[in-house]
Amino acid sequence: MDTTLDPRWHNALSHSRYLANQLQAHPEMIPELAASWLQPLSEDLLLAPLKVAFADDEAVKSALRRLRHRAMAHIALRDLCGLAPLDEVVESMTLLADITTNFALDYHHRQLALTYGEPLDRAGQPQRLLIIGMGKLGGRELNVSSDVDYIFIYPEEGDTNGKKSIENYDFFTRLGKRVISALGDLTADGQVFRVDMRLRPNGDSGPLVCSLDALENYFVTQGREWERYAWIKSRVMNTGPNADGAALGEWMTALRRISRPFVFRKYLDFGAINAMRDLHAQIRREVARKDMADHVKLGPGGIREIEFIAQVFQLIRGGRDTTLQIRPTLSVLKLLVERQLLPAESEQELHAAYVFLRRLEHRLQYVEDKQTHMLPVDDAGRAIIARSMDFPDWAAMLAVLNGHREKVARHFEQIFSDPEAGEHPLTGLWLSQLEEETAIEAFGNLGFRQPREAIRRLAELRASNRYQQLPSTNRSRLDAVGPRLIEAAGATSAPDLTLVRGLTFLECIARRGSYLALLQQYPMALRRVADVICASNWAADYLNHYPLLLDELLDPRLYEIATNWAGFRDELKRNLADHAGDTEREMDILREVHHAQVFRLLAQDLAGLQTIETLSDHLTELADTIVQETLPLCWSTIKKRHCAVPKFAVIGYGKMGGKELGYASDLDLVYLFDDDSQEAAENYTRLGQRLNTWLSSQTSAGILFETDLRLRPNGDSGLLAVSVDSFRDYQLKNAWVWEHQALTRARFCAGDPAVGARFEAIRCEILRQPRDLATLRDEVVAMRKKMVDAHASNSETEFDLKHDRGGIVDVEFIVQYLILAFANQHASLTGNLGNIALLRMAGELGLIEPQLGQAAGNAYREYRRLQHAKRLTATPKALVPRDAIEKHIGAVSALWQAVFGS
């Protein structure tokens, strides 16, 4: 060996017999490496030897193999000398694979086209073979002695256009074989990469190439769970001359359209945990059979377990969170921390272990350039590996290695362990296998007050056609979850009620194996389900309607009170942008995020973490956000838009305007525009119609809001969208007093801020008009009497919180009267501050007795709290006992008397 070599090379040469032999056999490589090795391997360096004419196929093979030896020497020197981090090593190997693959593809395509012509699609356009890189090649994580996993896809059936025309299938089969030969044949120069085609549809027994249509049919009819896992990292490798610009983009889009629904389900696919657990168990059995405990990839705590941890979250959530549809393992782990699906400490440990194991993997492979993952058993081999990993000896390295593997194994078990392993103590009770008296005693010991009713309900469920006709997998999952439901119900304050509601919920989701898998895998979620449905009938119904919300019960942020609304909006925008133009999916996304946030607030509310005021603020902020994000989506569907951004505003009235929304409140909306264009009225009417449709339509994901547009000028007979000038003219000349009362709680919610500012100016102008107080008082009182006659309970013992005298509407009418009567003198009364704050302000201004205002404000707060609590029960419209709130009725009545007289 040349004694003038850079002294830093000697450690690398002593480690890698492959590298030493290459430099011994090809001394001409030494000056080339000496000139370039201090910089990462570049694309230009790899392409340079290929920019010549080749005499024949054998010359191509020889050039590709010499290029591989040159690149490997460069990579090994930098890595073993400590100059290349892991990400550089794997990217360099991936770059080598991409360049050699595409060169072989382009070269042999041209050769075949000279003989048979170009393969054409139905439109007569040339086609290309798409080479799909799988596994670490697809993820740009290729190791230094890796094989390459390919799948060959061509766009369409057809024929070539040459004199010796053949079918496209034949052309691409020949091409695929030549590419495999160019890279994988073992010659005197070795090989470029071992080529593995077993991941193609039907594996070794399937055709070498398949069309996009054939691939789609395969996914639908035969695709298996492990193939979903494999396709996560799929990547189209085509670049260079063979990447036919726009056509390649269309083919790749078609491939994504086919593969993504197969890999990433639209729903939360918790069944993937069981599938990957089974796949890992098969690998473990194979490892044990072949005595591969020291296998750094497949052994316990190895590289594959880290990959499984990352990819199971992708399979579960990637269909709903498209940001998880990425390939590199470390990038996925980092994203899981951002999504709070993985603790930061876990990610740090897994990251450190992954880097260590991959570096160790490479050092094992550098020795002889062999695809090995087994630790050496001889002392000399161990000493070489330990030194190259910067350890003084094998024992020191093994201690660190074992520490990493123990951490990986622990994290893997936390995610993939089967919490239902072994039989639950209550399984016999669930399966009705106990004698009646024994079952009664068991339910009694769990706190149930009506054991016989519980036994009857269980027997009824198990005898039902719905249960009997369940697929066997779903039934076994239901039978695993059922005993834990009984246990969870027994831990609540109302076991009998919770079990009944819980069984109804299980019946609702029984055919959705993914939801059962979630409850089976995460017993904590089932305990939270029990707590929620025990606390509220409305919550139980909400969960029955939207079982997708089960995922929220796993979120560690569930009980975090402070909502990051800016982050919420940004994430919603990103999610919508990922599905731009897909109206159905956009509508579902809006519903899903809305339901999830409502459920989050509901859980906090039931836990006593939200006051009625803050809860209403959050629900109103949520509604505002949904309307704000829906408006531009609707505008984009108007074909003949006369402007890029609509000069249009959504005005909220009633509870929406007063920021007092409850869980199921309607939205009272008015649509205004300020636009002189001839197309404005027609376009904005259509925009209003579509906005209403988007908000109130029932889709597979449910409904957003019931909407009420009757408060617009002229009510149902009026225009759906009106100009601000027409709105002002109507309010000044034609509006009834009750419409001015409604205006006191109106506000700009979404759309063009300039239009919103004009509305607010008009609103203040109307509210501050001088009015005859006697006439105003008479009209407000008359309107209130009409409402009492229509809605009051007329009960001496029970009380309607909203409509009865001394209730909520009385407080609202008092405040509205004070604003209309005195805002011309006190501009501050026009502020949309809420009824309690406005009563306090009226007291400070001397318009009412402060003590009366404070007492009425306290009554109003209590009424809203009681009204909200009733909303969560099975009888939301039930009256409350009058004597329990007599003090508050008296306070409101006293203020009414002071303001309006008898």
Side-chain angles (χ1 to χ4, degrees):
M1 184 65 64
D2 189 343
T3 57
T4 63
L5 294 178
D6 189 310
R8 290 174 289 182
W9 289 20
H10 290 295
N11 285 337
L13 294 171
S14 65
H15 176 92
S16 173
R17 285 187 287 274
Y18 162 75
L19 179 59
N21 291 338
Q22 284 298 315
L23 296 189
Q24 187 76 38
H26 303 286
E28 71 277 5
M29 289 173 54
I30 295 174
E32 296 176 9
L33 288 169
S36 65
W37 82 290
L38 292 176
Q39 297 298 322
L41 194 63
S42 68
E43 185 174 347
D44 290 341
L45 197 63
L46 290 171
L47 285 172
L50 302 177
K51 294 180 177 178
V52 297
F54 294 100
D56 54 29
D57 293 357
E58 294 305 313
V60 169
K61 287 183 179 180
S62 180
L64 290 174
R65 282 149 182 76
R66 290 197 303 271
L67 173 61
R68 196 262 182 186
H69 295 317
R70 170 74 176 74
M72 279 295 297
H74 187 113
I75 294 167
L77 278 175
R78 286 185 55 77
D79 191 3
L80 292 171
C81 292
L83 298 184
L86 175 64
D87 57 352
E88 179 192 317
V89 175
V90 298
E91 175 58 29
S92 296
M93 286 302 304
T94 304
L95 185 61
L96 173 64
D98 282 2
I99 285 174
T100 54
T101 299
N102 277 287
F103 181 83
L105 177 64
D106 293 339
Y107 174 83
H108 287 292
H109 183 103
R110 290 195 301 271
Q111 298 300 310
L112 284 169
L114 288 175
T115 303
Y116 301 108
E118 290 286 351
L120 304 180
D121 63 15
R122 286 185 289 269
Q125 297 301 310
Q127 297 190 75
R128 294 292 183 266
L129 181 68
L130 301 180
I131 297 187
I132 316 299
M134 304 292 284
K136 287 186 170 62
L137 173 60
R140 307 199 71 86
E141 301 167 320
L142 208 60
N143 64 50
V144 296
S145 189
S146 180
D147 53 9
V148 287
D149 294 290
Y150 291 148
I151 295 176
F152 294 154
I153 305 293
Y154 62 96
E156 292 182 14
E157 303 293 355
D159 300 294
T160 63
N161 62 357
K163 292 183 179 179
K164 293 175 62 176
S165 177
I166 59 175
E167 292 182 352
N168 289 347
Y169 170 80
D170 291 333
F171 181 94
F172 288 120
T173 298
R174 294 169 192 246
L175 176 56
K177 288 178 178 179
R178 292 196 183 190
V179 170
I180 293 171
S181 175
L183 299 174
D185 281 358
L186 193 60
T187 72
D189 294 311
Q191 60 187 168
V192 186
F193 291 101
R194 294 171 299 278
V195 178
D196 191 336
M197 299 296 300
R198 290 175 296 176
L199 292 178
R200 70 184 187 267
N202 292 306
D204 286 339
S205 63
L208 187 67
V209 301
C210 75
S211 67
L212 286 171
D213 285 344
L215 179 67
E216 183 172 24
N217 182 65
Y218 176 81
F219 282 157
V220 171
T221 60
Q222 300 180 63
R224 289 157 288 182
E225 283 294 325
W226 69 262
E227 289 178 291
R228 293 180 58 207
Y229 161 77
W231 272 82
I232 289 176
K233 289 184 179 291
S234 63
R235 174 175 64 89
V236 177
M237 298 175 63
N238 298 60
T239 59
N242 205 20
D244 197 13
L248 176 64
E250 292 177 6
W251 300 330
M252 290 174 66
T253 298
L255 178 64
R256 284 194 297 270
R257 178 186 58 78
I258 292 168
S259 63
R260 281 189 176 179
F262 170 68
V263 180
F264 301 108
R265 305 296 196 235
K266 285 187 176 182
Y267 53 86
L268 291 165
D269 187 13
F270 284 92
I273 293 180
N274 292 335
M276 293 188 74
R277 184 191 293 126
D278 293 342
L279 176 59
H280 185 260
Q282 294 175 19
I283 294 171
R284 279 276 177 91
R285 287 192 293 271
E286 186 72 7
V287 167
R289 186 177 67 81
K290 295 183 178 181
D291 193 21
M292 296 163 59
D294 284 339
H295 198 287
V296 298
K297 178 180 179 181
L298 302 181
I303 296 167
R304 179 57 55 85
E305 290 191 354
I306 301 174
E307 294 172 339
F308 269 38
I309 289 171
Q311 289 173 306
V312 74
F313 284 104
Q314 291 182 279
L315 287 179
I316 291 171
R317 301 172 182 277
R320 301 178 59 75
D321 184 352
T322 55
T323 58
L324 285 170
Q325 295 179 13
I326 57 177
R327 302 181 187 94
T329 300
L330 294 180
S331 298
V332 175
L333 293 175
K334 183 178 179 181
L335 188 57
L336 293 178
V337 175
E338 294 177 11
R339 293 289 186 271
Q340 296 197 0
L341 298 170
L342 192 70
E345 182 180 356
S346 299
E347 185 271 339
Q348 292 163 7
E349 292 181 349
L350 291 170
H351 184 284
Y354 184 81
V355 172
F356 184 92
L357 290 167
R358 292 300 307 273
R359 289 183 67 241
L360 176 57
E361 170 191 47
H362 290 162
R363 275 141 187 76
L364 295 172
Q365 294 171 355
Y366 283 134
V367 176
E368 297 286 0
D369 188 26
K370 291 183 178 179
Q371 175 75 331
T372 180
H373 295 87
M374 292 296 293
L375 297 174
V377 295
D378 62 294
D379 291 341
R382 289 177 170 181
I384 289 174
I385 296 299
R387 284 197 304 271
S388 71
M389 290 290 289
D390 301 321
F391 288 94
D393 53 43
W394 179 255
M397 194 208 77
L398 189 62
V400 175
L401 170 61
N402 287 340
H404 284 305
R405 295 208 293 188
E406 288 169 4
K407 291 174 182 176
V408 172
R410 185 181 74 250
H411 291 302
F412 184 88
E413 290 301 321
Q414 287 173 348
I415 293 171
F416 286 93
S417 62
D418 186 354
E420 298 296 334
E423 188 170 285
H424 192 278
L426 299 178
T427 297
L429 191 60
W430 166 262
L431 296 176
S432 304
Q433 294 173 339
L434 305 181
E435 295 290 337
E436 184 175 12
E437 291 306 314
T438 304
I440 290 172
E441 181 181 359
F443 274 116
N445 291 336
L446 290 169
F448 284 77
R449 295 184 178 182
Q450 298 175 310
R452 294 183 189 278
E453 178 60 22
I455 294 169
R456 186 197 65 77
R457 185 69 178 84
L458 286 179
E460 183 181 82
L461 180 144
R462 295 182 57 78
S464 68
N465 288 334
R466 179 178 292 184
Y467 177 85
Q468 295 293 333
Q469 294 171 7
L470 283 176
S472 58
T473 301
N474 288 32
R475 192 185 308 163
S476 63
R477 286 177 177 171
L478 182 59
D479 287 341
V481 171
R484 292 191 178 275
L485 173 63
I486 297 173
E487 182 181 46
T492 66
S493 59
D496 302 270
L497 179 64
T498 304
L499 180 62
V500 170
R501 291 175 178 173
L503 291 176
T504 299
F505 176 65
L506 290 185
E507 287 177 312
C508 287
I509 65 170
R511 290 199 168 273
R512 298 296 296 272
S514 179
Y515 296 140
L516 292 172
L518 183 156
L519 295 174
Q520 183 181 3
Q521 182 68 26
Y522 298 104
M524 173 268 290
L526 188 58
R527 291 193 292 271
R528 286 185 171 178
V529 166
D531 290 340
V532 167
I533 63 179
C534 175
S536 166
N537 182 76
W538 189 87
D541 286 345
Y542 200 68
L543 201 53
N544 289 341
H545 279 103
Y546 309 118
L548 184 67
L549 299 173
L550 280 173
D551 183 47
E552 297 302 313
L553 297 174
L554 303 178
D555 195 327
R557 299 168 295 179
L558 180 63
Y559 294 110
E560 287 182 8
I561 300 176
T563 301
N564 178 8
W565 286 110
F568 176 86
R569 281 188 284 271
D570 289 343
E571 188 170 342
L572 175 57
K573 287 177 186 290
R574 283 196 301 270
N575 203 352
L576 290 168
D578 287 338
H579 297 86
D582 184 347
T583 297
E584 180 181 352
R585 185 67 194 124
E586 288 170 336
M587 292 178 76
D588 283 349
I589 287 169
L590 290 165
R591 283 152 178 75
E592 289 160 2
V593 298
H594 175 262
H595 299 330
Q597 190 61 31
V598 168
F599 190 71
R600 204 178 280 260
L601 293 169
L602 174 62
Q604 296 171 8
D605 182 17
L606 295 175
L609 302 177
Q610 295 280 2
T611 66
I612 183 61
E613 288 90 348
T614 57
L615 180 66
S616 291
D617 286 344
H618 284 312
L619 290 171
T620 304
E621 183 76 29
L622 175 60
D624 283 359
T625 300
I626 294 297
V627 175
Q628 288 160 7
E629 296 306 319
T630 303
L631 190 60
L633 298 176
C634 295
W635 183 243
S636 70
T637 67
I638 306 296
K639 291 184 178 179
K640 296 181 179 179
R641 299 186 295 276
H642 64 282
C643 57
V645 179
K647 301 172 184 179
F648 180 93
V650 179
I651 309 301
Y653 275 70
K655 289 185 177 180
M656 175 77 161
K659 299 184 179 181
E660 293 183 351
L661 286 180
Y663 290 124
S665 296
D666 296 351
L667 300 189
D668 292 297
L669 304 177
V670 170
Y671 303 142
L672 302 181
F673 65 88
D674 190 11
D675 192 331
D676 294 331
S677 172
Q678 289 184 343
E679 298 94 345
E682 181 180 352
N683 277 347
Y684 293 137
T685 296
R686 188 172 289 115
L687 174 59
Q689 291 168 337
R690 296 205 178 165
L691 178 60
N692 202 51
T693 298
W694 276 58
L695 294 176
S696 60
S697 291
Q698 182 83 31
T699 76
S700 60
I703 189 173
L704 279 170
F705 304 100
E706 296 287 350
T707 56
D708 191 335
L709 308 179
R710 291 174 297 176
L711 288 175
R712 66 185 186 270
N714 294 308
D716 283 341
S717 62
L719 298 172
L720 189 65
V722 299
S723 71
V724 288
D725 289 334
S726 297
F727 178 80
R728 178 179 181 272
D729 189 63
Y730 176 84
Q731 292 291 340
L732 285 171
K733 300 175 182 177
N734 303 109
W736 298 82
V737 169
W738 68 262
E739 291 179 282
H740 288 176
Q741 288 179 247
L743 201 59
T744 64
R745 284 158 60 87
R747 65 182 178 87
F748 166 69
C749 296
D752 185 344
V755 182
R758 282 212 61 192
F759 161 76
E760 183 59 23
I762 293 169
R763 174 180 172 274
C764 290
E765 177 189 2
I766 299 301
L767 296 183
R768 297 196 66 193
Q769 281 187 302
R771 291 175 172 85
D772 179 82
L773 298 189
T775 302
L776 175 64
R777 185 183 298 112
D778 289 345
E779 292 198 38
V780 171
V781 169
M783 177 56 68
R784 180 68 184 107
K785 185 176 185 304
K786 287 181 181 179
M787 294 181 67
V788 169
D789 292 343
H791 301 290
S793 67
N794 297 316
S795 171
E796 294 184 1
T797 58
E798 292 186 305
F799 186 73
D800 185 316
L801 291 166
K802 180 176 182 180
H803 293 292
D804 277 356
R805 287 291 194 182
I808 288 174
V809 176
D810 272 7
V811 178
E812 293 174 343
F813 270 50
I814 290 169
V815 171
Q816 291 161 10
Y817 167 78
L818 292 173
I819 294 171
L820 295 178
F822 301 109
N824 65 317
Q825 303 169 35
H826 305 287
S828 58
L829 289 173
T830 62
N832 199 322
L833 307 175
N835 289 317
I836 296 174
L838 288 167
L839 284 172
R840 184 176 63 252
M841 183 182 292
E844 293 168 353
L845 293 172
L847 306 179
I848 58 175
E849 288 289 333
Q851 295 85 351
L852 289 178
Q854 182 178 1
N858 291 339
Y860 185 75
R861 181 182 292 110
E862 178 63 10
Y863 290 161
R864 288 192 59 211
R865 188 191 68 78
L866 291 170
Q867 189 181 50
H868 175 71
K870 296 294 290 182
R871 185 69 188 82
L872 297 177
T873 69
T875 54
K877 296 183 179 180
L879 305 180
V880 300
R882 180 178 286 271
D883 57 5
I885 53 172
E886 197 64 55
K887 178 182 72 170
H888 294 309
I889 298 172
V892 174
S893 298
L895 183 58
W896 181 276
Q897 178 72 22
V899 173
F900 293 109
S902 60

